[in-house]
Amino acid sequence: MTDLFAALDLTAPEITGGTLPVRSPIDGAVIAHVHETPLGDMPAVIARSQVAFRAWREVPAPRRGELVRLLGEELRKAKAELGALVTLEAGKITSEGLGEVQEMIDICDFAVGQSRQLYGLTIASERPGHRMMESWHPVGPVAVISAFNFPVAVWSWNAALALVCGDPVIWKPSEKTPLTAMASMKIMQRALARFGDAPEGLVQLVIGGAAVGDALVTSRDIPVVSATGSTRMGRIVGPKVAERFGRSILELGGNNAMIVAPSADLDMAVRAIVFSAVGTAGQRCTSLRRLIVHHSIRAGLVEKLARAYASLPIGDPRAVGTLVGPLLDMAARDAMLAALDQAHAEGGTVHGGVAVDAVAGGAYVTPAIADMPGQTAIVCEETFAPILYVMGYDTLDQAIAMQNDVPQGLSSCIFTLNMREAGAFLNAAGSDCGIANVNIGPSGAEIGGAFGGEKETGGGRESGSDAWKGYMRRQTNTVNYSDALPLAQGVRFDF
């Protein structure tokens, strides 16, 4: 562990003597005591970001993209070490820790190209001798509040785009995972040093709890707040940002479903279900939580899944072959077991969901399948754990209605070889989620598409497509190159 910290330039004074203990989910052991940002320092942090903004917005966007390109290079060099730290601090298995860093690299590549494509439109004017167009300009400092389950990737989604769009970034990571953020900032500093002339305060890190986050959320000098976390958190952040007419990008809860139709390739469906429901120990916002299966194949599919679940290696996520690592902590384990008790009380038959002593001190539980009589109260809640609720359906309309009948609206999918069913699922009367897939699970989105969802998921969009527009302000421009001054809509105002 000491060698890993040294490889990532985390020094002893930075990770000892602080007030915030950091525990590894692997065994519950304290691995660091980091220093929190004093609340009284927050005005100065925000002021530095504002000064940086005034300089950075004048830098041409392709030049800003060069900084992000350098960040991608530095991440490539540090991929193994940063991925290992993700595993240590967040409990992800080794391939998922490395995959998260690869996601950071991918969004850097995407953003570099985006830096030359911050396009506006040319618009036909009704007035002769006039030209209309829209342009996009940097909006100001962006606050990124990230969650423990993707401790570095979500920051990169925001930071890579915000930087090419001309905006400084202030990052407040989860207090559960500050070490990965500190390591990422070391990598960022190397990129900044190679870049050479970026303004001071362009990218900053603050560490602490709700009070530090609130200082960002309530500041009128932070026009954009990107917050990832629970719906409860979003209900606090969203109104506070809106009250000051700021802009929020909210990535909140998910209660994601898969519909399995009679024509589905069941072998492929089983593989998708197991990864989507069990990957990251069910602690992804896109984890599969509800399985809606046609009655004609339900019993057989549950039997296949139970066998697959029984074969999954559970244990230390650093060990070769492990597929199921720990939950974040004992509180997460207790929440999972309580949800399974409620599922049983609501008529469900539970397979798995047993606490195991895989590594002393860690919160390890066997993934659970809860065969439910219907979409009961507990099914409509999001429990951040590897619980898969299974329900049956008769008609596709019934299945889609069941899928949509939850408060969340992040990710969804259907497994079918019937083109009509696939089309119905993807149309306006189909899935109401921000992500809808066919013959692929709900988890594991690529950075090329905009990521986010509807309803209590918050409505935010990050990463690919045109999500960059969330970090800029739109301006409509009209140029009169004639020698007359006609008014729009035929209005006359002669004097």
Side-chain angles (χ1 to χ4, degrees):
M1 188 167 67
T2 302
D3 290 344
L4 178 60
F5 290 163
L8 290 164
D9 294 333
L10 295 174
T11 65
E14 291 173 317
I15 61 176
T16 59
T19 55
L20 181 63
V22 183
R23 295 181 181 274
S24 172
I26 295 172
D27 57 5
V30 175
I31 56 176
H33 283 90
V34 303
H35 301 272
E36 298 180 75
T37 303
L39 190 58
D41 288 358
M42 291 304 294
V45 169
I46 295 169
R48 280 195 296 272
S49 193
Q50 277 286 343
V51 173
F53 172 58
R54 289 192 284 274
W56 191 242
R57 66 186 176 184
E58 297 288 347
V59 176
R63 173 66 178 155
R64 300 192 297 247
E66 173 65 7
L67 173 59
V68 176
R69 187 188 70 79
L70 293 172
L71 174 59
E73 285 190 359
E74 294 298 329
L75 285 166
R76 283 179 168 88
K77 295 175 187 177
K79 179 178 176 179
E81 293 80 9
L82 186 56
L85 187 58
V86 170
T87 292
L88 178 66
E89 192 176 41
K92 293 187 175 185
I93 63 174
T94 296
S95 67
E96 288 191 294
L98 293 171
E100 179 160 356
V101 182
Q102 186 61 49
E103 195 164 350
M104 301 174 78
I105 294 166
D106 291 345
I107 193 63
C108 286
D109 288 349
F110 180 93
V112 172
Q114 191 69 71
S115 70
R116 294 179 182 271
Q117 300 178 81
L118 303 177
Y119 297 144
L121 299 173
T122 298
I123 306 163
S125 174
E126 67 184 63
R127 291 171 284 188
H130 286 58
R131 178 182 178 227
M132 289 180 65
M133 57 188 176
E134 68 176 25
S135 52
W136 293 86
H137 301 295
V139 70
V142 174
V144 180
I145 301 173
S146 59
F148 80 89
N149 60 327
F150 277 85
V152 289
V154 170
W155 168 75
S156 70
W157 292 355
N158 288 275
L161 291 180
L163 288 170
V164 301
C165 289
D167 304 328
V169 176
I170 304 173
W171 181 15
K172 193 204 89 65
S174 167
E175 55 268 40
K176 302 283 188 181
T177 52
L179 293 175
T180 44
M182 293 165 63
S184 296
M185 287 299 292
K186 296 282 187 173
I187 295 166
M188 183 79 239
Q189 290 301 323
R190 292 199 287 272
L192 286 163
R194 291 176 61 190
F195 184 78
D197 60 351
E200 180 190 0
L202 181 62
V203 184
Q204 299 180 82
L205 176 69
V206 295
I207 294 175
V212 171
D214 192 62
L216 297 171
V217 167
T218 57
S219 174
R220 295 182 181 275
D221 291 325
I222 306 290
V224 179
V225 176
S226 172
T228 301
S230 67
T231 298
R232 181 194 63 80
M233 180 271 285
R235 292 189 195 281
I236 297 170
V237 170
K240 286 187 175 183
V241 175
E243 189 275 334
R244 60 176 178 82
F245 296 103
R247 184 187 306 171
S248 58
I249 302 172
L250 297 177
E251 300 289 354
L252 309 176
N255 195 349
N256 315 293
M258 176 191 294
I259 297 171
V260 184
S263 69
D265 180 329
L266 290 184
D267 289 338
M268 189 163 67
V270 167
R271 291 182 60 81
I273 291 164
V274 174
F275 169 72
S276 299
V278 174
T280 323
Q283 296 173 117
R284 293 185 177 212
C285 51
T286 55
S287 290
L288 177 62
R289 310 208 181 279
R290 296 177 296 135
L291 188 63
I292 303 167
V293 189
H294 193 271
H295 284 303
S296 65
I297 57 173
R298 178 179 178 179
L301 182 56
V302 170
E303 184 179 338
K304 286 177 179 283
L305 288 172
R307 287 198 301 269
Y309 270 42
S311 72
L312 297 173
I314 302 171
D316 189 324
R318 298 167 296 189
V320 175
T322 297
L323 294 179
V324 184
L327 291 170
L328 177 66
D329 51 29
M330 294 299 179
R333 183 200 68 177
D334 293 346
M336 175 179 175
L337 298 177
L340 292 175
D341 286 343
Q342 185 174 341
H344 181 74
E346 292 175 359
T349 301
V350 177
H351 309 268
V354 178
V356 294
D357 190 21
V359 178
Y364 294 84
V365 182
T366 60
I369 300 170
D371 206 346
M372 302 299 293
Q375 193 150 272
T376 64
I378 190 60
V379 179
C380 294
E381 297 180 15
E382 180 191 30
T383 302
F384 227 53
I387 300 175
L388 180 65
Y389 300 106
V390 182
M391 288 84 64
Y393 78 91
D394 291 312
T395 68
L396 182 61
D397 286 346
Q398 181 187 43
I400 292 174
M402 188 183 302
Q403 179 203 275
N404 294 345
D405 191 24
V406 293
Q408 310 86 355
L410 178 53
S411 192
S412 61
C413 62
I414 186 171
F415 269 73
T416 179
L417 299 180
N418 184 314
M419 185 174 68
R420 290 179 176 175
E421 289 183 325
F425 181 76
L426 297 178
N427 79 2
S431 170
D432 66 357
C433 295
I435 299 169
N437 299 329
V438 176
N439 293 332
I440 186 171
S443 190
E446 298 180 35
I447 59 91
F451 181 89
E454 304 301 323
K455 301 188 294 188
E456 288 189 3
T457 302
R461 292 297 185 275
E462 294 172 333
S463 196
S465 185
D466 64 349
W468 62 272
K469 294 180 179 179
Y471 306 90
M472 304 197 82
R473 60 182 178 89
R474 184 197 310 254
Q475 188 175 84
T476 301
N477 313 126
T478 304
V479 177
N480 178 5
Y481 56 88
S482 75
D483 60 1
L485 193 65
L487 301 178
Q489 292 85 46
V491 173
R492 299 187 64 84
F493 196 86
D494 299 327
F495 61 92

